Every structure is written in C-alpha cells, then in structure tokens.
Amino acid sequence: MVNLTKGEIALYDRQIRLWGFEAQHRIRSSHILVINFSCVGAEIVKNLVLGGLGFLTIIDSGKILEQDLSGNFFFDVSLLGCSKLDSTVKERIQELNPRVDIVTDTCTWAEKSQAWFNRFDIIICTEFDATQIESISRTSRSLNIPLYVVNTHGLYGMIFVDLIDHSSHLRLAKNRIRRKPGRSNSVREIVHVEEKTENDVEYEDCLIQNYYTSFDRILEKPKLKEFFPTMKKLNKIDSTLIVLLGCLKIPTSYNYPIGTVQVTKLELLEFANEIARKLGLTSLDLNDLILQDVARQFGCEFQPVAAILAGCLSQDVINMLSKRENPINNLLIFNGKKAEMPIYTI
Amino acid sequence: MRWISNFPPPSKTFTERTMARDIQLIRILGEETYNKISNSKVLLVGAGGIGCELLKDLLLMGYGEIHVADLDTIDLSNLNRQFLFRQKDIKKSKANTAVAAVALFKGNTRLEPHHGNIMDVSQFPLSWFRQFDIIFNALDNLEARVYVNRMALFINKPLIESGTTGLKDSAEEFIDSVVEKIFVEDIVRLAKIDTLWKTRQKPIPLNYELYSKKLKELPTSIISDDQKIWTTEENLFVLIDSLKRLQARYKSEGVLDFDKDDKDTLDFVVAAANLRSFIFGIETKSEFEIKQIAGNIIPAVATTNAIFAGFSSLQSLNVFSDDPVGNSRLIYDSEYINKFVTQCPPLPGNSNCKACGIQRGIITVPSLDIQLGEIHKQLLKKFGYSDDVSIVVGNNRLIYDYDFEDNLISSLKDLTIGSGSIFFVSDSDDDLQDIELYLEVAPQETDITLTDITIKKKPLKKKESKEEVTIQDDQMEEIFDEDEILLIDEPAEKRPLEIEQEETYSKRKKSTI
C-alpha cells in the first residue's frame, strides 16, 4: 500500500475514488513548473494545488494591471501595480492547500539556466508565442521533460503537448475481437494487452505508447494527412486550427496593456495562409468570421475559456502522472463560439 | 508588431476604472453584450463543486447581480475541489461562505447568499424566481434539479444545467442485496426454495460457531483499516463491535439513521454487507469502497468541475444572442481520442416527458378558503376539459377524480394545500394534454385566475404490447422483493387512497424492469 497519511486520504477522498491511491501518490511526488501566472495559468495552479501536487514553482516577472482584475481571481484592486506573484498572492494560493510546497519566482524565465529547469517533472507554459515555444522546447527536449503549452485569445484557445514519449494504461471494454499489440498509427502503439476481471466485469488492460513530435518539427512533416486521408476529410477541418497556429507567429502580448495591442485581420490572414501551406490545407475555406474574431480578441483573457482549457490541461497532466488514459497527442483546439474541442495530431 | 508596456495614466472616475478593468471583456463580448451582462441578475443554485467554479466564472464575466442558494454545509471531503472553502469553514453554510470568499475579486457585482432548500416554497416562492434573467443549476441531486427546471418552465426563464458524475453504475443492486442482518436462519430458509437456485448459486449459511471462536484473537485495530478487504471473521468482529456501539448510542440518542460519515453506522453496514456477500458468493469489499456504494458517493475532481462550469457560463452568452435556443448546445465529456468534448444542439421536446411533454400555467386564488369545487369548475370552463379529469397535488396525492368527489366541498386550507402547491390535472379521456398548475395566493385578487393557454390535443398513442412475464418469474421476483423491501421505511399514517395509488405505481415499475 502506498503511503498516504490518513489526513491526505480524507482530504482527497473524492478524487482517490476516481484515480486510485497510487496515482495520488505519484501526483504528490511530482514537481511542476508553471510559466506565466496568467488567467489560464492561475486556473491551472488552482487545479493542481487542489489536486494535491507535491511541489509547484510558478514564474512570472509581470506586474498586475487593471485588466488583470477581471481575469485572475487571486488578484484584487489593492494589489494594482504589484508583482503578479506578490507575497499576498502566494499566500492566497497556499491557502487552497497547505500541503503543497509552493515556490514563486519573479525573475524572467528566459534568463534561467538549463540546470534550473532540470528539477521539474513537467513544464507548463501559458500565453507563449512560437519563438518562446521553440526556446523552451529546446530545453525540455534536451532534459527529457514533458511540455505543455496553452494559449487563449478571447473565446478561442489551444493546447500543445509534447510528452516526448509516454506509456499509459487504458482500460477498454472487452471487444469481440481481442485487441492485439501493434502500431495503431505513426504516433500510437499498443504494447501489451491483458484481459482482466473486476466486479464481474471483463475488460482489457492495454498498455499504450504515445510518440510525440517536437514543436520545431510539427510544421516540417505534418501528420494531418494520415488522420484525414481524403481531401474531403481534410477540407472539413475547422479553420480555427490554422488561425490559432497563425497567432503563434505574432509576438505574445502577455503582460502588456491590451489597449496597446492591435492585430489586424489582414496580418493574421497572412500568417494563417503560411500555416495552411505548410499543413497542406490550402484548399480549406478560411472562415472570415473566425479571423475577424481572433484578430480582435488577440491576447484577451476570458475567465470561462481559461477555466475550460486549464481544466483539460490539468486533467491531462494528472492522467499523464498517473499513467492512465490516452494523453492529448498533440494539439487541442478550442472554439468557444461553437463549443467545440477537437484534438489533432500534427 | 510591438506592444507598448507603459501603464495607462491613473484612471479616476468609476466608469474609467471599470472600463480599464473590463477592457478585455468588452473586446471579447462587444459593448452591447457586455452591457447586457452587467445589467443581468442571475440565480446560481448550488455552491458545491460546480457552484464554486461557476460563481467565480460568472463574477469575472461581469454579471451585475448573482444570488447563490444552497442548503448544505461544508465538509472536509469538499476541500479537494470546492476551492472557495478552507479547513476553518467546515460546518459553515456553503452559500454564505462562498459569497464571503469571493468578496475579494467581485468587482462591481452585487452578491446575495441564501442558505436554504431551493424547494422550500415559503423561502423561495415562484414569485421569487421571477426576478432572475438566467438560472444556473449546479446541483448534486436529481430531485432539486427537476424542481428548479419546473420553476424555470413555469415562468419561462432560461435555465443552464450542469453536472458531473463518476462511477455510479454498479452500486445499486449490491446495496439492495446486502442490507439484511440474519445470516443463518433466513439463508437456510431461502436455500430450501429450489426454484430460486436453478440459475443462481445457492447461498451457504454462515458457520457462526466456527467463526465466533476466532473472534477473540483479533486486534481492534482492524476496525480502522478501511482499505483492507476484511476476512469473514474480521467482518463478524466489526459487525458485533459496531452493534455494541450502536446499541449504547440508541439508549441515549434514540433511533439512528445511516450516515456514511458516521463511523458506527458505516461499520455496521460494511460488515453486514460483506457477510451477506460471503454467503451469496459475491465479491467482498473494503470499507473505503463500500462507503462509496452505501453513501452514494460520486467521485469528484476539480478539473471536471472547472471544465463544465466554464461551459455553463460560456453557454449563458447565448441568452444574449439573436437565437438563444438555436445557439445553445448540450455538452458532454468525450471518450473519443479526437475530441475532448462532444456536443449537440438541444433536443426537441418529447410528448411523453414529464417535464416538456405537458403544459404549464399558474393558478392564482384570493385566499385558501376557496373550495376545491370552485377550482374544478374553473378548470373545466377555462381549459375545456370534460368532467372526467383527475387532480393530483404534489408528487402523488390524488384529491379529485370522477369517483372521488368528497373533497369538492373542502377548502384548500382544509386540504392542507397552500401557496406553492402544484396541481397536476390530467384528462382521464386522454383527449386533451395534461397541465401542471402552480398555486399562488394573491389577496388583492377577487377571483380565481388561470394562465391564458390553450390546451392542445393529446397525440394518439400506439397501443402498447402487453408485457410477457411468466408466472414463475413473477413469483420469484416477489420472493426476492419481500426480503429486500422490508427495510424501506413507510410513513406511519397514510390515506387508503394514496397507498392504493402507490401500490399500482410500484407494480407497474417492477414489471418494466
């Protein structure tokens, strides 16, 4: 039996019932880094701290602006102009769960050494642009650390995941034909299948291996065609995908007053077209409304969207740590207007 | 593109400050929707897992006024997800604590907590619900959910429903088969009925003598090991020990109810359940697991609550759009690898549905001295029913039908019908649709008034095929039911009519299983 204290079991009762003692123990032993205490960053922090994470480091060099008061529930008007990770803010995070070891850092993440990053089991970046993702991804890849990136633009957002390679157990209802080990596609493989019975229910315990593409290579050899083999299927892809990937080419506006941020539909169109060319999606109908929406809402943080994306990301992190379920591989796109959340492998 | 990182000049007026704070909201929503939201008053029913999340989301979206209603108090096991609550808040009101906790970041929103049961008509009459523009359900039980849904239908207000659930399935049959405390004699008797064991494993009565000898050697520490699957003698040990504890408490406290957080009652149920399982060849479970089944605990985590509260608040934006219903979506957790959620447009109403298949209205009376006969007369006159209608109050109390006219001369007061009672009128000829009427008392009125609606014709039903149940099956079912139903509490006093009605209802239910 894994050693969780009586107090921990009582506190985490409702979630242990979902993912088991062993997973809870793994969560408690992990150290996660969250870069940028944005609206979505704060939501992730809340979820992980409540979930009973062992060690958490948050890094953000920004100051609290007036606009942040409608996007981060750890801030209040008395903290205007203070550091986003002011000691008061840290206390408020800690109050959520006194058992978590929390470190806040107000330095610039880009100035940190490789050795500094080496202590983390997972790196989570929020509101990053392409240049920043490339930079952090070089570090995470060379240190073999799983990486999550989440960006939001008003009602739209995305999560990019690079777990390098990852194995997990999947519990599947018994099939008429027994599942066999083997490659399902270029990023996923069934390594082992075992038939099990629990409470008179038969199921197959599948050990799955997921392989990931590093960020700098996703546009080089896109895998979309493997999953959308015909033109008809390719053309059904929602153009939010290319618009949001296009956004990555625009420098992040995080920690800047939104009043000074202006992105035109035209410049976004240019970047989106470039992505479409690289992904082989040139015949895709680029939805003008989405372009217009995303250009206007570029860099805007919106609480419900942050809550949804942070919830998905945190859930995936917990699954990843507990080696359960199939993790996101590798791009989740969120369209809040249509309430859609497709996951693509690119 | 280069963003300028200087601070805006210190803003002075209230409006300027609000604008600086909400600049992102205005960009996302547009000025018109933003203004509508900041002038909206909404009701949040439930301040639990989803409720806490929703309250935070709605506040940061800039809703003008939020009322939070919850009857519950805070428990330790809530703290892993109900992030507005702390250890020091345990046992306090959820509604009050949640509202106090968000004061910090509430901006210009007006907040009002209500500690109470949303189904309590004296605290929350229908007229109270009328003040809200949107109602958000964040409840953990079906009964209250259905009730709030009905209220929203009575007054035609948008309702946004959300809920999460974990592993509930396998639970019920198990608990039904276990709450039985005689492990030897009854089993011997049951084992004799051969027809029962044709397709089932025959139960083995507990060898009480054998096990009871071993009991003295067991350490009492076993009782606190809730993750271990106890052996038969350990279960017997816990059973006897918990019975002693319960007996002592009964002397001072009187009748004790089962509560999953009451260790004495839980021990008893776990041990009894396991012994019974042992007898019937069912897999035994640890106390930790049985607590989930017997206490109907639903696993809950912060992330799922956050995701679905997020969707719920996001869906509320549709209320302010050109086509609120058309734009709304039902959103579910997805099991597919290529999407995180699945969604679909709202489904059309079902004419057999208790909620959407009937019409609704409000009946207003000047006082409760009005006789039922008066109401009956008005119903026929206004809605065009034939004389052959039945009127049921509340869940299943029949107060009038063709053969039961005794109550017509009684006043509503004498029939203990009051403001907030709900009449269900159905046409025994199956010609016109049924109607549900919410009773309001308005002393300023002089007459009975009924909502202006035209009752539609009932759609023709296909003839249902008769259930094919063989006599043998029926008998077996009854033998089982006899054992299992015994423990259900019956209210002491009942009118003969109600009993009759309930009996036919439960019979019908059984035959459809």
Side-chain angles (χ1 to χ4, degrees):
Chain A
M1 194 55 63
V2 268
N3 81 76
L4 288 173
T5 64
K6 279 232 166 254
E8 282 173 310
I9 294 170
L11 174 64
Y12 303 130
D13 183 280
R14 295 301 185 272
Q15 62 199 45
I16 291 173
R17 291 180 191 281
L18 197 66
W19 55 58
F21 289 97
E22 175 132 6
Q24 190 62 48
H25 183 73
R26 287 214 187 106
I27 294 163
R28 195 188 65 180
S29 323
S30 304
H31 191 170
I32 296 181
L33 169 68
V34 174
I35 307 181
N36 288 345
F37 197 56
S38 54
C39 184
V40 66
E43 280 282 330
I44 293 167
V45 164
K46 175 205 71 192
N47 294 341
L48 295 178
V49 169
L50 288 175
L53 178 72
F55 310 89
L56 173 70
T57 297
I58 316 165
I59 185 165
D60 194 322
S61 58
K63 302 256 187 295
I64 298 172
L65 308 177
E66 272 172 312
Q67 66 191 38
D68 297 321
L69 300 181
S70 71
N72 192 318
F73 56 90
F74 289 105
F75 302 158
D76 71 288
V77 71
S78 72
L79 293 170
L80 271 180
C82 298
S83 160
K84 279 193 168 169
L85 294 170
D86 184 88
S87 58
T88 314
V89 174
K90 191 192 165 186
E91 274 167 36
R92 286 177 190 167
I93 302 168
Q94 188 74 67
E95 270 181 22
L96 290 176
N97 189 348
R99 294 168 200 269
V100 185
D101 198 328
I102 300 169
V103 173
T104 49
D105 192 326
T106 53
C107 299
T108 309
W109 66 269
E111 287 162 11
K112 293 288 182 185
S113 69
Q114 184 120 333
W116 185 78
F117 285 100
N118 204 16
R119 69 196 72 183
F120 304 112
D121 298 302
I122 298 175
I123 299 173
I124 300 171
C125 312
T126 77
E127 311 300 358
F128 263 39
D129 58 37
T131 319
Q132 293 174 321
I133 304 174
E134 273 160 28
S135 157
I136 195 79
S137 153
R138 273 193 298 275
T139 306
S140 68
R141 275 269 162 174
S142 71
L143 296 171
N144 203 25
I145 301 172
L147 172 73
Y148 283 86
V149 180
V150 54
N151 287 349
T152 66
H153 300 286
L155 292 166
Y156 303 84
M158 53 158 270
I159 299 172
F160 168 76
V161 183
D162 176 15
L163 305 183
I164 306 168
D165 64 67
H166 176 70
S167 60
S168 56
H169 284 269
L170 205 56
R171 187 187 168 140
L172 295 170
K174 212 175 152 190
N175 227 348
R176 244 175 339 117
I177 306 158
R178 200 185 148 173
R179 291 177 184 83
K180 284 191 190 125
R183 204 92 180 185
S184 316
N185 50 55
S186 66
V187 299
R188 207 165 284 120
E189 184 181 359
I190 299 178
V191 181
H192 184 71
V193 184
E194 202 174 324
E195 282 180 37
K196 287 187 175 171
T197 309
E198 198 181 290
N199 293 341
D200 295 333
V201 180
E202 290 178 293
Y203 66 96
E204 289 178 352
D205 177 26
C206 299
L207 180 65
I208 311 268
Q209 190 81 19
N210 268 278
Y211 304 95
Y212 288 79
T213 313
S214 65
F215 182 76
D216 55 328
R217 305 188 66 163
I218 54 170
L219 296 178
E220 246 175 50
K221 267 194 184 169
K223 297 193 168 63
L224 268 182
K225 282 203 174 112
E226 185 187 334
F227 297 90
F228 299 86
T230 62
M231 273 319 265
K232 205 175 149 191
K233 284 185 177 165
L234 263 182
N235 285 334
K236 274 196 182 155
I237 290 179
D238 188 83
S239 56
T240 314
L241 168 70
I242 47 181
V243 175
L244 288 178
L245 285 177
C247 280
L248 290 175
K249 298 280 182 183
I250 303 171
T252 178
S253 62
Y254 179 65
N255 275 336
Y256 288 89
I258 207 75
T260 73
V261 177
Q262 295 295 339
V263 172
T264 65
K265 201 173 92 182
L266 229 64
E267 51 195 352
L268 187 54
L269 176 67
E270 205 176 297
F271 291 124
N273 276 332
E274 191 188 323
I275 299 286
R277 266 197 307 279
K278 287 186 174 165
L279 290 179
L281 292 173
T282 40
S283 58
L284 192 69
D285 185 26
L286 238 175
N287 188 321
D288 197 58
L289 214 67
I290 293 176
L291 264 178
Q292 194 181 311
D293 267 4
V294 177
R296 194 184 68 240
Q297 300 175 18
F298 183 91
C300 288
E301 303 189 296
F302 189 42
Q303 178 56 39
V305 173
I308 294 168
L309 285 171
C312 297
L313 190 148
S314 314
Q315 189 59 63
D316 211 61
V317 165
I318 286 162
N319 284 343
M320 186 252 152
L321 288 174
S322 49
K323 299 187 187 296
R324 291 164 66 249
E325 312 289 330
N326 235 321
I328 298 170
N329 187 355
N330 55 357
L331 186 67
L332 178 147
I333 295 292
F334 179 72
N335 179 334
K337 258 200 173 155
K338 288 161 85 178
E340 281 176 358
M341 261 205 276
I343 297 168
Y344 300 101
T345 301
I346 61 165
Chain B
M1 268 144 284
R2 182 173 290 147
W3 324 123
I4 311 153
S5 83
N6 61 347
F7 277 82
S11 35
K12 290 201 178 87
T13 69
F14 178 75
T15 329
E16 273 170 355
R17 247 185 294 137
T18 310
M19 289 296 270
R21 178 186 189 270
D22 294 348
I23 183 166
Q24 307 194 79
L25 291 175
I26 296 164
R27 272 207 191 180
I28 296 163
L29 304 168
E31 208 148 339
E32 198 190 326
T33 307
Y34 167 78
N35 285 329
K36 280 183 188 164
I37 288 178
S38 46
N39 289 312
S40 292
K41 193 193 231 189
V42 301
L43 168 64
L44 171 58
V45 191
I50 294 194
C52 282
E53 288 284 335
L54 251 170
L55 178 58
K56 167 206 67 185
D57 293 349
L58 297 175
L59 271 174
L60 293 177
M61 282 170 85
Y63 271 97
E65 184 167 339
I66 306 171
H67 289 231
V68 185
D70 199 314
L71 67 101
D72 216 359
T73 52
I74 297 155
D75 185 75
L76 172 66
S77 61
N78 298 148
L79 304 186
N80 80 323
R81 62 200 185 282
Q82 301 177 10
F83 76 103
L84 297 174
F85 308 143
R86 307 283 173 264
Q87 197 94 26
K88 65 173 166 46
D89 300 323
I90 289 173
K91 299 232 186 294
K92 288 186 192 162
S93 145
K94 284 190 175 177
N96 294 335
T97 311
V99 164
V102 298
L104 196 67
F105 60 90
K106 76 179 184 65
N108 303 323
T109 306
R110 223 185 74 79
L111 287 162
E112 203 171 307
H114 301 274
H115 180 68
N117 184 346
I118 199 67
M119 296 191 284
D120 177 350
V121 287
S122 55
Q123 194 178 357
F124 308 113
L126 190 64
S127 52
W128 180 80
F129 285 90
R130 282 207 177 90
Q131 63 183 307
F132 303 108
D133 300 301
I134 306 174
I135 302 167
F136 292 88
N137 254 358
L139 285 154
D140 62 354
N141 72 87
L142 188 66
E143 194 190 1
R145 263 200 182 114
V146 170
Y147 180 84
V148 176
N149 184 34
R150 276 161 105 191
M151 295 305 113
L153 287 167
F154 274 122
I155 54 175
N156 214 7
K157 295 278 184 185
L159 170 76
I160 299 172
E161 173 69 65
S162 53
T164 64
T165 165
L167 328 154
K168 213 190 140 194
D169 309 342
S170 60
E172 282 156 35
E173 202 182 339
F174 184 67
I175 195 67
D176 266 353
S177 71
V178 295
V179 200
E180 157 82 54
K181 56 186 189 308
I182 301 168
F183 300 100
V184 188
E185 283 166 39
D186 262 15
I187 307 302
V188 172
R189 183 176 66 83
L190 267 179
K192 279 182 190 158
I193 310 171
D194 284 336
T195 48
L196 285 175
W197 315 114
K198 275 179 185 160
T199 56
R200 299 177 174 91
Q201 193 192 323
K202 206 169 180 169
I204 307 154
L206 198 69
N207 190 336
Y208 190 77
E209 271 176 63
L210 175 79
Y211 290 116
S212 53
K213 278 178 196 157
K214 297 181 185 172
L215 294 181
K216 280 180 194 142
E217 294 150 30
L218 293 172
T220 42
S221 62
I222 186 71
I223 298 169
S224 61
D225 195 350
D226 70 347
Q227 287 167 56
K228 183 182 187 292
I229 295 175
W230 295 329
T231 61
T232 310
E233 57 262 33
E234 282 169 345
N235 276 306
L236 199 58
F237 178 82
V238 176
L239 183 83
I240 293 165
D241 191 83
S242 63
L243 274 172
K244 282 180 194 156
R245 280 178 273 148
L246 290 170
Q247 209 169 22
R249 278 176 57 188
Y250 178 75
K251 281 178 191 154
S252 56
E253 294 172 42
V255 178
L256 298 160
D257 284 323
F258 171 74
D259 178 351
K260 64 183 191 303
D261 296 315
D262 178 341
K263 173 80 174 149
D264 298 336
T265 61
L266 181 66
D267 282 349
F268 168 73
V269 168
V270 170
N274 275 334
L275 288 173
R276 179 101 169 153
S277 294
F278 173 72
I279 289 163
F280 281 89
I282 299 167
E283 191 185 341
T284 56
K285 305 234 166 213
S286 71
E287 184 160 45
F288 185 82
E289 290 172 297
I290 291 180
K291 185 177 176 183
Q292 176 160 348
I293 299 165
N296 203 7
I297 295 177
I298 294 165
V301 280
T303 50
T304 323
N305 288 333
I307 295 168
F308 287 94
F311 273 117
S312 183
S313 45
L314 211 50
Q315 286 290 302
S316 71
L317 294 178
N318 292 324
V319 173
F320 307 100
S321 73
D322 307 332
D323 181 8
V325 176
N327 290 335
S328 294
R329 290 289 177 274
L330 301 172
I331 299 154
Y332 307 91
D333 203 1
S334 156
E335 298 214 336
Y336 296 102
I337 203 162
N338 63 352
K339 49 185 153 187
F340 213 96
V341 293
T342 49
Q343 49 111 315
C344 65
L347 306 166
N350 177 344
S351 60
N352 292 325
C353 167
K354 272 269 183 191
C356 58
I358 52 173
Q359 291 182 276
R360 280 190 178 75
I362 291 157
I363 177 165
T364 316
V365 295
S367 90
L368 294 172
D369 295 325
I370 292 259
Q371 288 179 354
L372 181 64
E374 276 297 299
I375 289 178
H376 174 250
K377 205 169 88 191
Q378 288 297 321
L379 280 174
L380 304 193
K381 194 173 143 201
K382 175 96 181 178
F383 298 131
Y385 285 117
S386 69
D387 189 32
D388 198 3
V389 293
S390 68
I391 306 174
V392 170
V393 170
N395 282 334
N396 52 17
R397 185 177 152 212
L398 182 76
I399 52 166
Y400 172 83
D401 77 5
Y402 195 69
D403 302 322
F404 177 49
E405 297 187 327
D406 317 18
N407 287 330
L408 288 180
I409 48 161
S410 309
S411 71
L412 296 181
K413 202 190 281 163
D414 291 341
L415 291 167
T416 60
I417 292 168
S419 192
S421 290
I422 296 170
F423 291 101
F424 184 79
V425 183
S426 63
D427 184 359
S428 308
D429 292 339
D430 264 354
D431 183 29
L432 293 176
Q433 266 193 354
D434 303 336
I435 185 166
E436 206 171 66
L437 294 163
Y438 188 101
L439 180 76
E440 284 192 325
V441 183
Q444 72 275 16
E445 303 280 336
T446 48
D447 283 319
I448 300 171
T449 48
L450 285 156
T451 318
D452 272 319
I453 34 175
T454 316
I455 306 290
K456 293 179 205 142
K457 287 247 176 207
K458 239 185 200 171
L460 284 173
K461 266 190 199 164
K462 281 183 201 160
K463 267 202 167 176
E464 281 173 39
S465 62
K466 284 199 171 172
E467 280 110 341
E468 289 170 19
V469 183
T470 62
I471 297 164
Q472 208 186 354
D473 277 352
D474 233 354
Q475 281 174 338
M476 278 183 29
E477 223 170 352
E478 261 163 37
I479 292 167
F480 265 102
D481 285 339
E482 206 187 332
D483 272 359
E484 290 163 7
I485 283 176
L486 272 176
L487 283 143
I488 298 170
D489 258 2
E490 300 246 357
E493 281 178 313
K494 260 193 174 182
R495 289 157 180 248
L497 251 164
E498 282 178 37
I499 292 174
E500 201 181 290
Q501 207 187 3
E502 270 176 25
E503 268 173 7
T504 43
Y505 174 71
S506 62
K507 262 186 197 143
R508 208 178 317 137
K509 212 171 88 184
K510 251 183 260 170
S511 60
T512 53
I513 287 170

